[in-house]
Amino acid sequence: MADRPRQGFGTLELVLVGVALCVMVALGIFAASAITQSSSQRASSGGTPAPAASPAALALEPVKPDAVAPAPVAAGDQVAQQWVRDLSTRTGISEIAMRAYASAVLRIGQEQPACRLGWSTLAAIGGIESGHGTEGGAYLLPDGRTSQPILGPALDGTNGFAAIRSTAESVPWHGDLEWDHAVGPMQFIPSTWERWESDGNNDGVEDPSNIFDAAYAAGRYLCATGDLSTGTGWSQAVFSYNHSEDYVRSVLAFANDYATRGQRE
């Protein structure tokens, strides 16, 4: 969450968190079908893009996924349907969401080849933020829009969140005339969306509640940090998305799990 101070962890807490994450990955409960994280839980750890952080702001030792996600297979200027179907089956991520993540990676790979963004990183963020567009009973429509709005809590200055007033531009996204809310499957704060808004499916509309647009915007946001194939680059990119070291660890665990599942034949 933008402007939210980070909270420190003691040595014992770090050990326990690390052990817990390892156990959860081993059990495979990070599959998208098992994601039931509520909006309030997302809000307590951030869950929305924040301004880019300086390298010194992240105390966590640089990390990056050690499982290599299978590269998307292109069919013309699209992702091959069979690849999407196979990876959806292996990971439990819906075909619509998988196509959105893979499409964003293919496009960014052409536009910013030095970034080296993997779909498993986008999938990890999408899984944590909204269960790939299924938070609160929502589901993804064929065009990538969510069946109902996916909103974070009001950014009203309470519970450690910044106070961000809604604007004429943001009210249609969340319906709150007073306070802004993070919106969509990748949980963008409206002011951040206004900077990174993207048309991921080339339909002429830039919609934070469309997973194709949101995934592409999130990829562009992450790539602003630099090369995500390095531990420093990857850690700083994810940390900039949410100023929480715990969030970085969670994304790492999700990304490794998805990549590992994707490798299975």
Side-chain angles (χ1 to χ4, degrees), residues 105-133:
V105 166
L106 284 179
R107 184 168 177 178
I108 291 172
Q110 295 176 342
E111 298 170 347
Q112 302 183 61
C115 174
R116 298 180 176 85
L117 172 67
W119 63 262
S120 59
T121 295
L122 286 179
I125 292 174
I128 290 170
E129 299 296 354
S130 70
H132 311 295

Side-chain angles (χ1 to χ4, degrees), residues 21 33 35 136 139 152 164 170 172 175 191 204 240 249 261 264:
L21 288 175
S33 60
I35 295 172
Y139 57 88
I164 305 178
S170 66
S191 57
S240 76
R249 296 185 187 90
R261 290 171 180 272
R264 296 174 184 170

